[in-house]
Amino acid sequence: MTIQTPQVRIVEVGPRDGLQNIREKVPTPTKLALIQRLRDAGLRTIELTSVVSPRAIPQLADCRDVLGNSSVKALLQHDQAGLRFPVLVPNVKGLEIATQYGVKEIAVFISATEGFSKANINCSVEQGITRAREVAGLARKAGVVVRGYVSCIFADPYDGPTPEAAVLHCVTSLLDAGCYEVSLGDTLGVGSPANVRSLIQYLTSHGIPMEKLAGHFHDTYGQAVANIWEAYSCGMRVFDSSVSGLGGCPFAPGAKGNVASEDLVYMFQNAGISTGVDLAKLVQTGEWISQQLSQSNSSRAGKALSIKSQPKKNSSPTNIKSPNSSAKNTPFLEWTLISSPEGLHIHRNGSNLKITLNRPKNGNTLTSTMLTTLTETIQTANSDSLTTRIIITATGRFFCTGMDLGKGTSPVAQGGSASDTQFNRLTALFEAIDTSPKVTIAAMNGPAFGGGVGLAFACDIRLCTSTAGCTLSEVKLGLAPATISKYVVREWGVSFAREAMLSARSIGAEELAARGLVSGVGELEGLLDALLIRLKGCSPGGSRMSKELVKLAWVHGGREGQVSGIKGVFDEMMRADGEGAVGLKEFQAGRKMDWDAFVLGQGQAKAKL
Ligand code: HMG
Ligand code: MG
């Protein structure tokens, strides 16, 4: 059979159907971030949430916060020209609330079967149709577009198999009520391609136009992708899906999530059928939301592609997996902006301080002012007892492309006192990081060049995206990686550092991981959250002493200075008033220590930054 290749439209229902059945509360910012990521991945129809009884679906009780958020408001303003952001509503109350927030498309839903109708919306099928008709009528009067769902197209959890005539009756009623299309919901995920073909043929032979139908397949029996392919072959072009296969309905016991958007896009992409979705970004989003929810990714294609995009297991020391590996459904970390001095953003989360280089248009090159501010910020954090970790990251495509070499702004090639001043500025910055008693982390969002490499390698730990890399490009300009060599040679080893300096070649994320120079490669936000959550269990004093031990080995390795230094650390850790005493007491009581809570509950009330 020759298959035409028109576009298919994907209706991403992850933020609604995907989340509605998750028991633990998903923080609103996670939902907002999910919507944004889905949009960034190219999805043009995203069901944002539902405005239903919070008693029926407590998970989506924050629908007003979602719809009222400025990022969603901005999307709703663009709900035109092919972008659609529907919201599920069961009744007039839901419609009224949704329209207050500027929603321009709603979805009404009925069941083809009595049992599920009663359980889900507390009324009979006919009452559901009447309610949907009323809501659709009012919506259309208000200029709001209406989509319809019919649930339980193949079977009902309480009533058993569904007669095709019952589905036809519901579809006809919804179209008559003014729905522009009706999504056929296999709520239980029990259907298989033979059922799909039979139902579609039945509906179309009874006068339902193919272009008015969409497919909504849950994947309980693993048939969803096959069902979609069958429906596509029958002429259907609109399909609902959910990133990472999230989903399920609390009123359809045992039913699994929707077909995974990644699996759908992969299937269509391989058939040359365009979806408009960036599969790589979608896969990252699927991995990210799975991490946020502490659940495994149900997308087979998503998991496979994600593994493929990571450095190989035997060549990578990537040891940081999930932000929530220890805590079920821990919210992702929220950062509060403290200040935005020139070229920087400074954020805080508990005892974590994050410094973000923010000159994306200039590749995050470091101006003289930025060097000074960075140094002062790090020095202040170093002496702040409420700060445990310092993270350096950046916005845009690059992590940091080194010193500002712009005409008239760079001290390079000026000689004399300009050279001394720049040397002192650079040395002060790298020393402030290197001698920090805090845990310092470089979260590399992209490639680093020259001084940017120094910034990353003066830090204790590095995480990076798969697009990140390091290039010691100085020799190309007739320069040398002078001030940073102290850190680069120490961390990279003499032979490799020499080769990298002399070749000025780009060392990619995979090689950095293989050489043990980065601790994690992948989706940076998730990696960083995972690391910071893990480090909550590590005491600041213990970390500081550990750093000291590493330094002693490096500076005095095998000599007297190392032995006497170790004795000093030993004495400190054995003190009765030290953190060791606190940690031991908690350990003996069988409790896990949250050192961030301990730090924040101590001493001065306010952080210095
Ligand atoms: P009810 O108890 O019969 O009606 O619920 P009610 O009018 O007496 O309302 C009960 C309470 O809910 C009242 O609050 C209302 O104010 C409140 P109380 O006075 O007790 O404090 N309420 C609302 N609150 C916010 N927004 C509203 C709203 N309406 C009432 N819109 C009702 C009837 C339909 C409201 C309820 O059963 C309900 O909300 N059901 C929705 C259940 C649901 O969302 N299920 C999942 C979606 S369907 C699905 O997943 C299938 C689909 O994906 C396709 C497929 O897979 O097949 C679409
Ligand atoms: Mg559903």
Side-chain angles (χ1 to χ4, degrees):
M1 179 175 48
T2 322
I3 293 187
Q4 304 283 311
T5 57
Q7 291 213 323
V8 294
R9 187 159 69 85
I10 295 187
V11 177
E12 170 61 51
V13 295
R16 193 278 302 172
D17 206 347
L19 298 182
Q20 70 185 12
N21 199 28
I22 292 173
R23 199 167 303 140
E24 291 85 4
K25 188 167 164 19
V26 178
T28 310
T30 307
K31 296 175 183 175
L32 295 168
L34 174 63
I35 292 166
Q36 208 52 57
R37 281 168 181 263
L38 290 167
R39 179 64 205 105
D40 290 347
L43 283 149
R44 299 175 68 79
T45 306
I46 304 170
E47 198 169 73
L48 297 173
T49 184
S50 62
V51 187
V52 300
S53 160
R55 263 194 284 150
I57 307 283
Q59 182 57 259
L60 301 183
D62 63 349
C63 58
R64 286 180 170 86
D65 299 329
V66 169
L67 296 174
N69 182 274
S70 54
S71 63
V72 168
K73 271 190 191 157
L75 291 180
L76 287 170
Q77 276 164 11
H78 291 98
D79 190 349
Q80 54 190 346
L83 293 185
R84 294 170 175 273
F85 302 103
V87 169
L88 192 81
V89 303
N91 52 17
V92 175
K93 179 170 179 169
L95 170 69
E96 284 170 356
I97 295 170
T99 49
Q100 275 165 23
Y101 289 90
V103 168
K104 299 196 183 80
E105 176 168 335
I106 57 157
V108 293
F109 54 109
I110 58 173
S111 173
T113 52
E114 296 296 342
F116 185 72
S117 185
K118 181 75 187 142
N120 195 39
I121 50 175
N122 195 25
C123 64
S124 69
V125 173
E126 281 314 311
Q127 286 166 333
I129 291 173
T130 306
R131 218 187 260 171
R133 192 181 296 125
E134 186 192 5
V135 175
L138 290 171
R140 293 180 74 221
K141 262 193 206 145
V144 172
V145 176
V146 188
R147 189 172 198 249
Y149 283 105
V150 177
S151 294
C152 298
I153 55 167
F154 296 130
D156 178 292
Y158 314 97
D159 300 352
T162 307
E164 290 179 338
V167 181
L168 175 64
H169 173 59
C170 289
V171 172
T172 309
S173 304
L174 288 178
L175 291 176
D176 288 349
C179 293
Y180 72 88
E181 97 190 352
V182 175
S183 182
L184 301 173
D186 180 10
T187 318
L188 297 192
V190 291
S192 61
N195 308 118
V196 170
R197 179 165 287 271
S198 166
L199 181 62
I200 291 178
Q201 281 174 351
Y202 178 83
L203 294 175
T204 49
S205 69
H206 284 79
I208 305 291
M210 195 62 234
E211 65 275 13
K212 296 279 180 191
L213 294 176
H216 180 105
F217 297 101
H218 284 257
D219 203 22
T220 316
Y221 283 78
Q223 303 291 301
V225 166
N227 287 344
I228 289 171
W229 187 249
E230 188 67 16
Y232 179 86
S233 302
C234 292
M236 191 179 270
R237 293 294 178 266
V238 183
F239 299 99
D240 303 353
S241 63
S242 179
V243 68
S244 86
L246 293 173
C249 178
F251 306 103
K256 289 265 179 293
N258 295 89
V259 63
S261 307
E262 299 90 314
D263 296 357
L264 195 58
V265 172
Y266 177 80
M267 177 184 77
F268 281 128
Q269 194 167 291
N270 277 7
I273 299 161
S274 88
T275 60
V277 177
D278 180 331
L279 183 55
K281 280 191 179 167
L282 186 64
V283 166
Q284 281 175 11
T285 303
E287 282 289 289
W288 172 82
I289 191 65
S290 305
Q291 285 178 355
Q292 298 302 322
L293 303 177
S294 285
Q295 59 183 43
S296 64
N297 188 344
S298 297
S299 166
R300 303 285 285 270
K303 270 204 278 201
L305 290 170
S306 171
I307 290 166
K308 212 170 155 188
S309 72
Q310 300 290 321
K312 286 192 185 64
K313 232 182 175 175
N314 60 2
S315 66
S316 162
T318 303
N319 54 11
I320 295 164
K321 290 267 157 35
S322 157
N324 301 319
S325 47
S326 59
K328 182 106 181 99
N329 203 26
T330 308
F332 76 102
L333 302 180
E334 289 179 38
W335 297 90
T336 307
L337 185 66
I338 309 289
S339 62
S340 291
E342 181 188 302
L344 300 172
H345 283 318
I346 308 205
H347 288 88
R348 176 170 280 284
N349 161 281
S351 58
N352 300 310
L353 188 80
K354 183 164 77 175
I355 305 172
T356 307
L357 310 183
N358 188 34
R359 290 185 85 215
K361 285 190 184 142
N362 304 77
N364 292 315
T365 51
L366 300 169
T367 62
S368 304
T369 312
M370 281 166 76
L371 286 174
T372 307
T373 317
L374 265 172
T375 308
E376 286 168 1
T377 306
I378 290 163
Q379 284 168 343
T380 308
N382 285 350
S383 65
D384 178 22
S385 65
L386 295 193
T387 299
T388 304
R389 291 162 219 112
I390 303 169
I391 298 104
I392 302 178
T393 188
T395 55
R397 201 154 73 82
F398 295 97
F399 174 62
C400 174
T401 53
M403 300 309 132
D404 181 16
L405 298 176
K407 265 191 201 162
T409 51
S410 171
V412 175
Q414 291 185 26
S417 67
S419 167
D420 290 345
T421 310
Q422 181 70 348
F423 176 82
N424 292 337
R425 267 196 217 109
L426 288 168
T427 307
L429 170 61
F430 295 131
E431 284 296 303
I433 302 171
D434 186 47
T435 59
S436 174
K438 315 296 178 183
V439 177
T440 54
I441 300 161
M444 300 170 70
N445 53 305
F449 291 80
V453 177
L455 203 57
F457 282 86
C459 290
D460 299 318
I461 299 173
R462 280 151 297 279
L463 303 172
C464 73
T465 59
S466 55
T467 61
C470 288
T471 310
L472 295 172
S473 47
E474 285 85 346
V475 286
K476 288 189 178 175
L477 303 178
L479 306 172
T483 51
I484 65 171
S485 61
K486 184 170 169 188
Y487 313 102
V488 169
V489 177
R490 182 181 73 194
E491 304 297 322
W492 293 17
V494 173
S495 177
F496 173 52
R498 186 191 294 115
E499 186 261 314
M501 285 182 189
L502 297 182
S503 66
R505 74 178 170 92
S506 163
I507 297 140
E510 196 164 338
E511 183 174 350
L512 290 171
R515 290 180 179 277
L517 298 176
V518 295
S519 313
V521 180
E523 200 277 311
L524 200 57
E525 200 181 347
L527 286 176
L528 184 60
D529 282 1
L531 176 62
L532 295 176
I533 288 165
R534 182 184 297 173
L535 294 185
K536 271 166 169 280
C538 305
S539 100
S543 304
R544 177 179 46 73
M545 290 186 285
S546 300
K547 285 182 66 165
E548 185 60 29
L549 292 170
V550 172
K551 191 182 223 164
L552 285 167
W554 163 251
V555 179
H556 302 287
R559 293 191 294 275
E560 172 48 32
Q562 186 183 20
V563 178
S564 59
I566 290 174
K567 176 70 168 72
V569 170
F570 193 84
D571 289 348
E572 185 184 350
M573 81 178 191
M574 300 299 273
R575 277 164 50 164
D577 61 348
E579 285 179 10
V582 178
L584 193 71
K585 199 166 147 212
E586 291 300 291
F587 172 77
Q588 286 167 349
R591 287 190 291 263
K592 258 194 182 163
M593 189 70 191
D594 178 344
W595 286 102
D596 282 13
F598 172 79
V599 165
L600 296 172
Q602 296 248 321
Q604 61 189 95
K606 231 175 147 312
K608 289 186 185 175
L609 283 159

